[in-house]
Structures are given as structure tokens and as C-alpha cells.
Amino acid sequence: MEKYNIEFNDYEPKYIQIADNIKNLINSKVIKDGDKLPPIRVLAKELKVNNVTIVSCYDKLVSEGYAYQKMGSGTYAKKREITDYFKKEYSKEIKLIKNNYEKNIIDFTGESSRKVNFPINQFKRVINEVLDRDGADALIREEAFGYANLRETINKVFWNNSLNIENLLIVSGAQQGIDIASKAILNINDNVIVEKPTYAGALSVFKFRRANVFEMPVEEDGINIKKLEDILRKNKIKCFYTMSYFQNPTGISYSHEKKLAILELAEKYDFYIIEDDYLSELIFDDNIKHEPFKVLDKNDRVIYIKSFSKIFLPGIRLGYIISPESFRESIQNSKINTDIATSTLMQRALEMYIKEGYWIEYIDNLRSEYIKRYELMKKLINEKLKKYVGFFDPKGGLSFYLNIKDKEIKSKELFYRLKERGVYITPGTLFYKGSNLGEQYFKVSFSQVNQEEIISGIDIIKEELEKWHI
């Protein structure tokens, strides 16, 4: 017990000081992965603090990934994954280049429309029209579930008036939508299935909810149905999180057959599908049909989330969520508890933008521009990187997910080497749950780069891969 003893300072809460000491003991391997930590009363007596202090300390360790708890057994040390540290460092790097954008940076990490693609003058006119029409209401009136006219317009334009408006809520982007859905549907230790790999933001939400996460490897047309049912037979699953089109990061889209099979299993095994409709507007191949899970849902099993931020303007932070009837009240309460209301001016401006037909025109122009970048990047990868990487052709979306053929080349190391040359990629390790999987993969996106930058960036990637063993 001596190793737990510390000399307390006067400026930090004691539970934080105790937690920091235990983290140092875990990092230095004095406490090994899986070692049981002292019982609460024992450690409290040893350190001359009350039991609540140790409870707060252990809760902090669990929330930061340094410990886990077994019901009726106690608290156990957990070695932090290297990947967790890298995720934080990577996030800092990317925020830095976003906040201090430099012209000589080639950013293959971004997945939102660049300002040069956005009709700013047209949107400015729309905002002015909204202010002239609605006056102060456009700035001060708040509606907890979203601007009623926007909800109605979304239903009319995108869903052919097929929805119950009460089930449609406006949210501040897809990330908030995932968070709201998880709060409404998940309790501690509930079981969730995700794709492997998957969107890191969703993993963070489920981790924060303390859900048990099962990973299902993706194939070229979605997850393996047989393996999915094997998990469903053995475990009570609460929900399945999926990106139905151009899955992040792999770029795969679900086949019609797999969507129907998963919907049947959802009814059979009583679980719900959280569908993150990621980038379905950017289909570049006529053989891919726009048909989300929600459209095929006959048993009200799908919680549908759509963001306007990715392909429109990230700064407006708008999206919507469609809930099943059975979860309507829970999702509404979750939304209210998350924030009071979403920006009313932006909602009104977006509603007019969609209603007047500008949205469809904008998407058509955006798709035309992105097809050019997609075709160029695919051509260059085939011509210049084929010796070093393999890849799946997504036929839409905003990125390519590349598989490094040489097992000695790790994407995290490649990230640091490319960073020194002003090129930023997304290593595959960011898309897996708490492990160092994905080291042979990296993602390159083309939404933030022009054609010259794509050519230059791919050349630099080739050069770095070529000299790996020199």
C-alpha cells in the first residue's frame, strides 16, 4: 500500500491528486494492466481521506480509460492504449492547421466543403431576405424541436411528405444527433454494434455512455450478415450504428439486400438502427441507388440522422434526426437536455434556401466539382501509388481509404513524415475501438484540396513511401 501514499498539496482536489498518482503508477508499470486497485474503504483509511474522495478518484480513472469496474468485484487498472494518446495528439495537430490555415498545407484530412465551393453571395441574400421578412423573430424566437417551417420543408423536399413531423427534430449537426440518440436509447453496460472500422466521433459517444461496443468488420457491400446474427443470438443488442453510404472511413455503401436483411434482424432480435446518412448526396455512379435504411424501414426500427454541415457550410452546424414513434418522447427530452434550441436565424435561412430550389442547384454543382477531384485522385493513386497501396473504389463520397501493402510501414509514422512536408493524412488507427488496429491503413480526402494540390500531395506521398527502406 505504500506506493499509493502521496503528500497532498493545497491547491488541487484530493481525488484528482490520488488519481494522478495512480495514473503515474500505471504508466510506469508499477501497477500492471489488470491489477486490482485497493477497496475504497481500505485506500481511504490508508490515505486518511473519506470514502467519497476515493469513489470520485476511481470514477475519474474509469472515465479517462485508466481503470474499469466489475460489478461486485471492484476496480481494476487498465493500461492506456497508445492509440488513445495518438488520437489526442492528432486532434491537436488538425485543429492547429484548421485554425491557422496556411496556403502551403495540403490537407487530405478535411471532409467538408471548402469556402470556394460555397455560393456565399447567394446565401447572404437569403439571410437578408429572412431578416427583412421575420425581423427580430429570426434572432430571438426559439423552438426547442426546431423551426417548424424547416421541419415541414425537409419533409416535403427530401421525404415527399411521408413523415410525421413530430418525429423530426432539428439538431446541431450529426455528432449531436448521435449523442442525442445514444442518450435516449442507451444505459450503462448496454450493448452496441458498430462497423469496424468506424467514425471516431461515434465511438467517443458510446464510450462516454459506458456502453459495451461490439465491432463488425465491413465488406464491400456492408457488414457480414451471418456474423451479425451470431452476435445477436448470444447477446442482447440495443442498437447498431451504421453509415449507409460511403462509410467513414472505408467508403463502402450497403447493398439493397443487406439493408433488408439487417432490418429483418432488427425486428427479430428487437434492436434499433442508428443510421448516419453521411454523404448520400455525393453518389457518382448510377448503379448506386439512393435508398437509406429509413426508406426501407417497415417496422419503425431506424433512428435516422442527417447533417447539412458536411456538404453545405460547416459553420451553420445544422442537421436533423428522425425518431421511431416509440422513442419520440425520449429523443425530444434528450434534445432539450442537450441544448435549449439550435440557431434560429440559420434554420430560417436554410429553410428558404431549400424551399427556393437553391439547395438542389448547389448540390448539383458540388457533385460536378467533386467528381473531377474524385476521378483525378483515383487516377493518380492507380498510376503512382499502386505499387505501395491497395484501395476500394467508393464511387462517391469525399475520400479514399488506402491499404499499405508493406507491413513494416505504419500509417502513424507515415503521418509524421508527411506532416514535415506539409501534407496531412488520416491514419487508420483513429477508426478503431481502443487498439492499435488500422496501422496499415490511411485515408485521403479531396474536399479541401484543389486539383494542383491533389497532384502535388500524391507525389509527396509516393516519395515518402519510396524512401521508407532507404
Side-chain angles (χ1 to χ4, degrees), residues 3-5 20-32:
K3 62 190 173 188
Y4 292 99
N5 288 324
D20 286 344
N21 180 51
I22 293 175
K23 285 190 284 187
N24 290 332
L25 293 172
I26 293 171
N27 289 333
S28 61
K29 299 182 180 179
V30 174
I31 299 176
K32 295 181 174 56

Side-chain angles (χ1 to χ4, degrees), residues 14 18 24 40 44 71 120 183 225 228 241 255 282 323 368 377 438 446:
K14 288 184 177 179
I18 299 168
N24 290 332
I40 292 169
M71 192 67 69
I120 188 66
K183 286 177 180 176
I225 300 300
L228 171 62
Y241 169 76
S255 65
L282 299 179
S323 67
S368 297
M377 183 170 274
F446 48 81

Side-chain angles (χ1 to χ4, degrees), residues 99-330:
N99 294 335
N100 304 285
Y101 192 79
E102 300 177 32
K103 290 182 179 179
N104 61 338
I105 292 296
I106 298 175
D107 181 12
F108 285 145
T109 69
E111 287 203 331
S112 58
S113 299
R114 204 172 179 179
K115 62 183 179 180
V116 294
N117 299 318
F118 186 74
I120 188 66
N121 291 328
Q122 186 183 64
F123 195 64
K124 188 190 298 182
R125 287 197 302 272
V126 168
I127 291 176
N128 288 335
E129 286 183 37
V130 167
L131 289 171
D132 289 341
R133 183 192 70 189
D134 299 342
D137 277 352
L139 297 171
I140 63 176
R141 187 175 176 182
E142 295 179 337
E143 298 178 60
F145 303 144
Y147 178 46
N149 288 4
L150 175 57
R151 295 161 72 194
E152 290 171 4
T153 296
I154 288 171
N155 185 28
K156 180 179 179 180
V157 174
F158 301 134
W159 295 91
N160 296 317
N161 287 320
S162 62
L163 303 174
N164 178 351
I165 291 295
E166 295 302 310
N167 295 334
L168 192 157
L169 278 69
I170 304 301
V171 295
S172 301
Q175 184 68 26
Q176 188 187 71
I178 298 167
D179 184 58
I180 286 170
S182 70
K183 286 177 180 176
I185 199 171
L186 294 175
N187 295 310
I188 294 174
N189 290 326
D190 278 346
N191 297 324
V192 178
I193 295 177
V194 301
E195 295 150 340
K196 180 182 180 181
T198 192
Y199 170 49
L203 286 175
S204 296
V205 168
F206 299 139
K207 182 178 180 181
F208 185 77
R209 297 298 300 168
R210 299 187 188 180
N212 302 313
V213 178
F214 293 78
E215 295 179 299
M216 283 291 301
V218 295
E219 301 171 336
E220 290 192 0
D221 63 341
I223 60 173
N224 185 288
I225 300 300
K226 184 180 181 303
K227 290 181 179 178
L228 171 62
E229 188 159 17
D230 287 343
I231 290 179
L232 293 170
R233 284 196 196 98
K234 298 172 184 176
N235 304 275
K236 174 57 181 172
I237 299 298
K238 204 67 173 286
C239 66
F240 165 49
Y241 169 76
T242 179
M243 287 169 278
S244 47
Y245 286 91
F246 314 119
Q247 193 260 3
N248 185 13
T250 64
I252 68 101
S253 296
Y254 276 74
S255 65
H256 176 80
E257 293 74 20
K258 284 199 172 177
K259 287 175 187 172
L260 290 179
I262 292 169
L263 285 165
E264 287 179 12
L265 291 174
E267 181 68 10
K268 180 179 178 180
Y269 291 96
D270 190 24
F271 68 90
Y272 287 83
I273 299 166
I274 300 177
E275 179 179 17
D276 185 353
D277 188 354
Y278 182 47
L279 292 170
S280 61
E281 293 87 350
L282 299 179
I283 295 173
F284 304 153
D285 189 314
D286 292 338
N287 292 318
I288 301 177
K289 184 179 180 182
H290 182 252
E291 195 176 48
F293 278 91
K294 190 65 181 176
V295 171
L296 300 171
D297 182 21
K298 305 300 182 187
N299 296 306
D300 214 17
R301 287 283 168 183
V302 177
I303 301 169
Y304 178 89
I305 298 168
K306 183 69 187 174
S307 173
F308 293 108
S309 302
K310 285 290 183 188
I311 58 173
F312 193 48
L313 196 61
I316 69 170
R317 303 310 304 163
L318 286 177
Y320 64 95
I321 183 170
I322 303 170
S323 67
E325 292 282 348
S326 58
F327 278 102
R328 180 203 301 167
E329 187 174 342
S330 295

Side-chain angles (χ1 to χ4, degrees), residues 28-43:
S28 61
K29 299 182 180 179
V30 174
I31 299 176
K32 295 181 174 56
D33 186 30
D35 282 357
K36 186 176 181 179
L37 299 179
I40 292 169
R41 291 180 182 177
V42 173
L43 187 57

